[in-house]
Amino acid sequence: MKPSFNLIDKSWVPCLMPDQTKVDLGLKEVLLRSHEIREIIHTSPLVVTALYRLLLTILHRNFGPATVNDWKNLWRRGKWDRRPLEDYFFKWHEHFDLFHPERPFYQVPPMADAKTHPVQILAIEAASGNNPTLFDHNYSNQPQTFSPSQAACYVIARQSFSIGFGKSKPFYFQDSSLIRGYSVFIMGKNLWETLALNLQIYNSERPIPQLNEDLPLWEQDPLPEPNKNGTPIQGYLHYLTWPSRRIHLFPSGNPPVVQFCQIQQYLKLPDPQPLDPFKCYRKDEKEGWTPIGLRPEKALWRDSHTLFQEADQSSSRPEILNWIARIERLQRFGEIKAHKSYQFNITGIATERKAANVILWRQERLPLPLAYLEEKGLLDKLKQAITLAEEVERVLLNCIWRIAKLILSPDSENPGGRTPDPNEVRRLQQSLRPRLLYWSKLDNPFRKFLVDLAEDWQEDEDGDLIYGQQTLPDWARTLRQAANHAFQETTRGFERSVRTLKAIAKVEAQFWLGLETLFKPYKKEVTNEPTV
């Protein structure tokens, strides 16, 4: 008997319930019970992002919504209509079988000219090929065994997160849709709200213009052939289910498990690519609109001002935030009942440009008071707060640099003194990680600040809103404490000697003077007294 695992009925989507228990559910039950589920949960944030996009595709196919009124009607129901979903899953039931002999879900039949790999190659955040070990410690010569539910999660994620590097057939591997830039997803109070908030207006013009009939992968017949020049995107659903890799799973046993698979290049995205509605973009003079990606040394919240600001000639916030701003206006004018604040989840990976190496993956969740999407004055204050934090970092790093320089060459600041090798100074400065010590102290305070700033407003004589009268001085105080912590911890890390103590004593006054200058606008609230 041939193995079968149908994703509509079998339990495989990992869900977190309101009581914090974890249950696996089939696609139909996930959607019909979404108002009872807290959220999708998985050890890999890449899997979570891919699963949300899969669920959105099914919902768009059944409910649109083609207009704002259509969306308002869906929102007022509070759950998905059972009949359309049941009819849809009945019609396409066979195409959701993970091990179907002819149309395995998100896969192709066995490939005669393809190598067989351990199944963990599907998880790019695992150790496989020349990827570094991130949070998985299984190597290619120690193949794992995936359950059908695990295999399904990673097949779906791999189609969205695959790096364009290396030889393949019929042509070299190409980037998949989510490998560059990070994705922003709005989080509601339960899974139904999350899906509804991210269910943007869907018609022939948006979120991506349609060329022909817009079909998800499982409805396409026949399946498209690879084209090294790029395959035209037919529409939003075509894009959301874009098959970047030809994958085939080899199940074995009863009940079935998966230990091996095949993987080759499949469809290449066209150039230029469409703007993904969940990504933030920056305008490049040569390359045009390019997605803003992760930087290993920079927390994502430090880009929140760019993320929130409306499009201009140099940057463009994710389209999903324009849609959420529209929802905020519907709420403000009483057309729907909604919250004034949600959360947003940011997920992405960083890779080496000239190799298929994953440097890191990252997921951050931040509060999203909707006022940031509409109030320019509030956004300006947010930018001011982030800029101030970066200026404090510069004072800290400059002072640590000077200390390192004096340790290596005490007479370097004297006329005719020896100037140490800048590379040696840099290595000594960075060895104690002052930047990490500083920013790590600000992650949680920033989340609180983001909420508090939106609530800290008053009207001036002209009726305009003034933000941050109390929260900005409080933020400055937090920055001072974080900088002091980083300075003290870093200087304690230097080898203790008379030379070191003299260097620290010589620079410490400069450190506090630099902070005092930055905090002068908040002089009444922020002092320069050290806080250990």
Side-chain angles (χ1 to χ4, degrees), residues 59-235:
L59 293 173
H60 277 302
R61 191 70 174 128
N62 285 275
F63 302 111
T67 67
V68 173
N69 284 334
D70 291 341
W71 185 88
K72 288 192 295 185
N73 291 333
L74 290 172
W75 181 259
R76 288 164 182 155
R77 285 182 60 89
K79 58 183 179 180
W80 306 116
D81 189 355
R82 175 180 292 270
R83 183 62 181 271
L85 289 173
E86 289 186 335
D87 290 347
Y88 184 79
F89 284 134
F90 178 80
K91 179 178 181 180
W92 296 104
H93 192 273
E94 188 176 10
H95 286 196
F96 281 85
D97 190 340
L98 191 66
F99 302 133
H100 193 279
E102 298 174 2
R103 286 289 300 261
F105 185 76
Y106 262 43
Q107 302 164 73
V108 298
M111 294 170 281
D113 59 347
K115 294 181 180 180
T116 299
H117 302 275
V119 71
Q120 67 259 39
I121 196 174
L122 298 179
I124 66 169
E125 65 271 43
S128 181
N130 58 358
N131 283 348
T133 302
L134 294 180
F135 56 76
D136 187 290
H137 299 282
N138 294 282
Y139 292 87
S140 298
N141 58 356
Q142 298 175 328
Q144 291 179 276
T145 296
F146 278 8
S147 67
S149 58
Q150 289 175 305
C153 287
Y154 282 111
V155 164
I156 295 167
R158 196 65 152 86
Q159 296 292 12
S160 295
F161 293 94
S162 285
I163 305 171
F165 183 87
K167 292 183 179 180
S168 181
K169 294 181 180 179
F171 46 86
Y172 272 61
F173 282 123
Q174 304 294 316
D175 282 350
S176 60
S177 57
L178 297 185
I179 207 66
R180 305 297 170 195
Y182 50 74
S183 295
V184 178
F185 217 78
I186 309 304
M187 306 301 295
K189 309 305 179 184
N190 56 44
L191 178 57
W192 178 85
E193 275 195 7
T194 294
L195 294 171
L197 289 169
N198 291 278
L199 199 70
Q200 305 165 66
I201 300 303
Y202 168 65
N203 53 40
S204 61
E205 297 298 325
R206 53 184 302 180
I208 293 175
Q210 295 180 19
L211 298 181
N212 291 299
E213 187 176 13
D214 182 25
L215 298 175
L217 181 62
W218 54 84
E219 291 189 39
Q220 296 173 34
D221 190 21
L223 289 173
E225 292 295 324
N227 184 341
K228 67 179 181 180
N229 297 317
T231 300
I233 296 173
Q234 302 304 314

Side-chain angles (χ1 to χ4, degrees), residues 252-415:
S252 61
N254 187 19
V257 295
V258 180
Q259 195 172 22
F260 298 100
C261 69
Q262 294 175 320
I263 182 167
Q264 286 189 343
Q265 171 62 31
Y266 194 10
L267 298 189
K268 177 184 177 181
L269 288 161
D271 188 21
Q273 296 179 24
L275 298 187
D276 189 303
F278 297 99
K279 291 184 182 181
C280 188
Y281 289 86
R282 180 177 289 116
K283 191 69 169 290
D284 182 88
E285 291 184 3
K286 295 182 179 179
E287 299 182 9
W289 290 107
T290 58
I292 298 176
L294 299 181
R295 291 168 54 185
E297 76 282 0
K298 188 175 183 180
L300 285 168
W301 61 260
R302 291 169 60 189
D303 275 333
S304 54
H305 172 261
T306 301
L307 189 64
F308 293 155
Q309 71 182 3
E310 292 191 71
D312 55 27
Q313 293 183 349
S314 61
S315 64
S316 175
R317 71 186 183 188
E319 180 62 28
I320 186 60
L321 294 185
N322 293 332
W323 170 241
I324 295 300
R326 196 167 186 178
I327 291 176
E328 197 278 333
R329 290 193 291 273
L330 293 176
Q331 182 271 141
R332 193 191 324 152
F333 293 116
E335 296 185 48
I336 61 168
K337 292 182 179 180
H339 302 284
K340 294 184 178 181
S341 179
Y342 290 97
Q343 289 187 320
F344 66 101
N345 193 74
I346 307 177
T347 302
I349 65 175
T351 66
E352 292 183 10
R353 272 290 181 181
K354 297 183 179 180
N357 290 343
V358 177
I359 301 172
L360 62 87
W361 63 267
R362 184 175 287 163
Q363 175 178 255
E364 290 188 26
R365 186 168 296 185
L366 294 169
L368 177 59
L370 300 187
Y372 282 104
L373 306 179
E374 296 283 277
E375 296 289 343
K376 185 180 182 303
L378 175 59
L379 200 56
D380 289 342
K381 293 297 183 181
L382 177 62
K383 181 179 181 180
Q384 178 182 338
I386 295 173
T387 300
L388 180 61
E390 292 173 344
E391 289 173 344
V392 170
E393 179 199 39
R394 278 192 286 274
V395 169
L396 170 67
L397 295 182
N398 287 340
C399 289
I400 299 301
W401 172 279
R402 187 180 172 208
I403 291 173
K405 182 179 176 182
L406 289 169
I407 291 174
L408 292 171
S409 180
D411 64 347
S412 60
E413 296 183 353
N414 298 330

Side-chain angles (χ1 to χ4, degrees), residues 433-502:
R433 302 186 299 175
R435 176 181 280 115
L436 178 62
L437 289 168
Y438 172 65
W439 289 110
S440 65
K441 285 291 183 179
L442 297 177
D443 284 346
N444 288 330
F446 180 78
R447 285 165 170 79
K448 182 177 185 300
F449 170 77
L450 198 61
V451 174
D452 292 345
L453 179 62
E455 298 174 353
D456 178 19
W457 57 271
Q458 60 188 42
E459 291 187 7
D460 62 12
E461 295 179 354
D462 299 323
D464 296 325
L465 298 183
I466 306 298
Y467 288 94
Q469 295 286 78
Q470 180 58 47
T471 48
L472 280 173
D474 289 346
W475 175 245
R477 186 161 32 248
T478 299
L479 297 179
R480 179 181 62 82
Q481 292 170 355
N484 179 55
H485 166 80
F487 184 85
Q488 302 299 335
E489 289 297 309
T490 302
T491 53
R492 273 196 287 266
F494 287 122
E495 182 182 355
R496 310 312 288 175
S497 65
V498 173
R499 176 185 293 191
T500 299
L501 294 175
K502 285 183 176 180

